[in-house]
Amino acid sequence: MEHAFTPEEAAIVAASQASEATAELLRFIRQGAYSERAPFDVEVTGKLAEALKLSIDIEGDPAPDSILDDDERKLLTDLRDALVAFLEGWVG
C-alpha cells in the first residue's frame, strides 16, 4: 500500500531517511563496520533509495518543455520505477 504524502510530508520523510543514512555513513567512517557481519547499523541503501524516490515524486513528471530532453525524462521515469521495485522487494 502506497502512502499518499503531501509534498511537504514527503520532503520531511525524504530528509529524515537521507539524514539517518548520512549519520550512519559518518559513523562508519569514524568507527568502522557495525559488526563482522554488517557494515551498517541501519539500512543505508534502503533509506537513500526511499529518499531519492520521494524527491523524484516531489518534483513530479517532467513537463515536455522542461530542460530535460526525451532521453533524460525516460531515464528519470525508469529510475523511479526501479526504485519502486527495489523498495517493494526490500520491504516486502
Side-chain angles (χ1 to χ4, degrees):
M1 177 164 132
E2 190 156 331
H3 299 282
F5 291 128
T6 66
E8 293 78 10
E9 291 168 335
I12 290 169
V13 173
S16 175
Q17 297 289 42
S19 293
E20 274 190 72
T22 300
E24 180 57 17
L25 289 166
L26 291 169
R27 186 216 52 81
F28 176 80
I29 291 167
R30 291 188 309 273
Q31 300 173 4
Y34 175 69
S35 71
E36 289 182 20
R37 295 181 62 203
F40 305 122
D41 183 30
V42 299
E43 302 293 342
V44 170
T45 303
K47 289 182 180 298
L48 290 172
E50 184 172 13
L52 180 56
K53 184 234 173 239
L54 288 169
S55 70
I56 292 169
D57 289 346
I58 291 167
E59 288 181 346
D61 292 330
D65 63 345
S66 75
I67 62 170
L68 301 178
D69 64 27
D70 290 341
D71 290 336
E72 292 168 328
R73 282 194 298 276
K74 172 82 168 90
L75 287 169
L76 191 60
T77 299
D78 290 349
L79 175 58
R80 187 196 180 282
D81 292 345
L83 288 164
V84 168
F86 173 80
L87 290 167
E88 286 174 355
W90 190 274
V91 178

